[in-house]
Amino acid sequence: MSPDLNAETAPSIRPGEVAVDLPATFDAGLYFIGRIRTPWTKREDCPKNAGESDTVCTIELDERYAAALDKVETCTHLIVLYWMDRARRDLVVQTPRHYGDGRGTFALRSPVRPNPIALSVVKLLKVEGTRLSIQNIDCLDNTPLLDIKPYFASVDSRPDAAVGWHRDRANEAK
Amino acid sequence: MSPDLNAETAPSIRPGEVAVDLPATFDAGLYFIGRIRTPWTKREDCPKNAGESDTVCTIELDERYAAALDKVETCTHLIVLYWMDRARRDLVVQTPRHYGDGRGTFALRSPVRPNPIALSVVKLLKVEGTRLSIQNIDCLDNTPLLDIKPYFASVDSRPDAAVGWHRDRANEAK
């Protein structure tokens, strides 16, 4: 496993984007613990916003971890962490096509980031053995699964939170 | 870097807990991109619930990624991902001391999990260079930082979400 693993799939840089040299070695290792099955096999087919998508998708957890699902069925919503294995990792400023100007990677939810861990809050419909039926995810079929966590509204829900650059942009469009 | 990295610090198993053999190799690598500075140096000193803690803590991002903070200051809340480097990774059923009976790892927010990635929704107070002042985090001092994401209420906030096993337990205590 080399830090250059995904270099061959890295797209070219857009005007205004900034890349950095990444460290020569990794600091920790991840296990892929399952796969997320969705109907989308190309990035352009994925829903732009996971919240907009009611498509039912499936988490297929490796049998090894089956016992770890005990009591998960009592949760209405889960936080799913997954690995964006096709994303480059070296961009610190990005110019998403639909925005036009650059912004920092940590102000974006783009898959392109030093550690391409994506996060979705999903609705849990059903648990059958090691298969979980979920809604509100927008990733490619066969995306590697990293973690499943119960969603606690008391600490995870902040209905009044705002992303200023995004709100300002929405206001300008009015 | 070996999957046995943390074996020596693994505590013993409690009654009812179940461990599995983890895979022999990792599937992907992580960079530590900074550190989270908190007043807590022992696990027993950490707040039990990040939401309860108003203590101001600091994210110290590596200078390498400084440009990635552009426009982060416009966010009121962030999702912070960090690495629980002292946690064992092989337990699929856990018996937290304060619950008494076992439950699956994926129904818990315990640091003990196959990929010990922790997640906190934090309030952002201030960005000064590569230092971010935040509230609502409960980790040990010097915890490795993995990612910072803007919190979008439209997709991340689910005020009506429930964790059944936790709610039932709260009701029993009444």
Side-chain angles (χ1 to χ4, degrees):
Chain A
M1 188 176 64
S2 136
D4 295 318
L5 195 61
N6 295 316
E8 62 179 307
T9 60
S12 57
I13 288 190
R14 298 199 185 97
E17 293 191 327
V18 178
V20 295
D21 287 332
L22 290 169
T25 55
F26 290 128
D27 298 299
L30 292 171
Y31 303 115
F32 295 164
I33 63 170
R35 295 277 166 175
I36 303 174
R37 306 305 310 268
T38 77
W40 307 296
T41 53
K42 289 179 292 186
R43 194 177 287 186
E44 54 268 33
D45 295 338
C46 294
K48 282 191 198 70
N49 182 322
E52 290 168 7
S53 170
D54 279 344
T55 306
V56 177
C57 300
T58 307
I59 293 174
E60 294 179 352
L61 182 70
D62 288 354
E63 288 294 334
R64 178 194 303 267
Y65 307 106
L69 289 176
D70 177 52
K71 295 191 174 69
V72 167
E73 75 284 354
T74 73
C75 300
T76 63
H77 293 76
L78 301 172
I79 297 173
V80 179
L81 300 183
Y82 45 103
W83 188 248
M84 306 304 278
D85 54 353
R86 305 196 195 178
R88 65 185 294 162
R89 301 173 66 163
D90 60 343
L91 294 190
V92 288
V93 177
Q94 301 177 51
T95 310
R97 225 181 311 241
H98 46 299
Y99 295 150
D101 58 336
R103 55 211 71 200
T105 289
F106 299 136
L108 291 168
R109 290 288 275 268
S110 157
V112 173
R113 48 212 317 119
N115 294 307
I117 302 167
L119 174 164
S120 288
V121 177
V122 304
K123 188 173 174 186
L124 177 64
L125 304 177
K126 196 165 52 175
V127 181
E128 291 176 297
T130 52
R131 295 168 62 87
L132 287 73
S133 300
I134 57 170
Q135 272 175 330
N136 305 133
I137 203 153
D138 61 4
C139 63
L140 289 167
D141 189 35
N142 268 320
T143 295
L145 176 71
L146 296 178
D147 200 10
I148 301 170
K149 299 179 189 290
Y151 183 97
F152 282 94
S154 57
V155 291
D156 299 320
S157 179
R158 302 293 179 103
D160 300 328
V163 177
W165 67 257
H166 194 264
R167 185 192 50 204
D168 296 346
R169 191 174 157 273
N171 288 340
E172 281 164 19
K174 278 177 189 165
Chain B
M1 187 178 65
S2 139
D4 296 316
L5 196 63
N6 295 316
E8 62 178 308
T9 60
S12 57
I13 289 190
R14 297 198 185 98
E17 293 190 328
V18 177
V20 295
D21 287 331
L22 290 169
T25 56
F26 290 128
D27 298 298
L30 292 171
Y31 303 115
F32 295 164
I33 63 169
R35 295 277 165 177
I36 304 174
R37 306 305 310 269
T38 77
W40 308 295
T41 54
K42 288 179 293 186
R43 193 177 287 186
E44 55 267 34
D45 294 338
C46 295
K48 281 191 200 71
N49 182 322
E52 290 168 6
S53 171
D54 280 344
T55 306
V56 177
C57 300
T58 307
I59 292 175
E60 294 179 351
L61 182 71
D62 288 355
E63 288 294 333
R64 177 193 304 265
Y65 306 106
L69 290 175
D70 177 51
K71 295 192 175 67
V72 167
E73 75 284 355
T74 72
C75 301
T76 63
H77 293 77
L78 301 171
I79 296 173
V80 179
L81 300 183
Y82 45 103
W83 187 248
M84 306 303 279
D85 54 354
R86 306 196 196 178
R88 67 186 293 163
R89 301 172 67 162
D90 60 343
L91 294 190
V92 288
V93 177
Q94 301 177 48
T95 311
R97 223 180 314 240
H98 44 301
Y99 295 150
D101 58 338
R103 56 208 72 199
T105 289
F106 299 136
L108 292 168
R109 290 289 275 267
S110 157
V112 173
R113 48 211 317 117
N115 293 307
I117 302 168
L119 175 164
S120 288
V121 177
V122 305
K123 188 174 176 186
L124 176 64
L125 303 178
K126 197 167 50 176
V127 181
E128 292 176 297
T130 52
R131 295 169 61 88
L132 286 72
S133 300
I134 57 170
Q135 272 175 328
N136 304 133
I137 203 154
D138 60 5
C139 64
L140 289 167
D141 189 34
N142 268 319
T143 295
L145 176 70
L146 297 178
D147 199 9
I148 301 170
K149 299 179 189 291
Y151 184 97
F152 283 94
S154 56
V155 290
D156 300 320
S157 179
R158 302 292 179 104
D160 299 328
V163 177
W165 67 256
H166 194 262
R167 185 193 50 205
D168 295 346
R169 191 173 157 272
N171 288 340
E172 282 164 19
K174 277 177 189 165

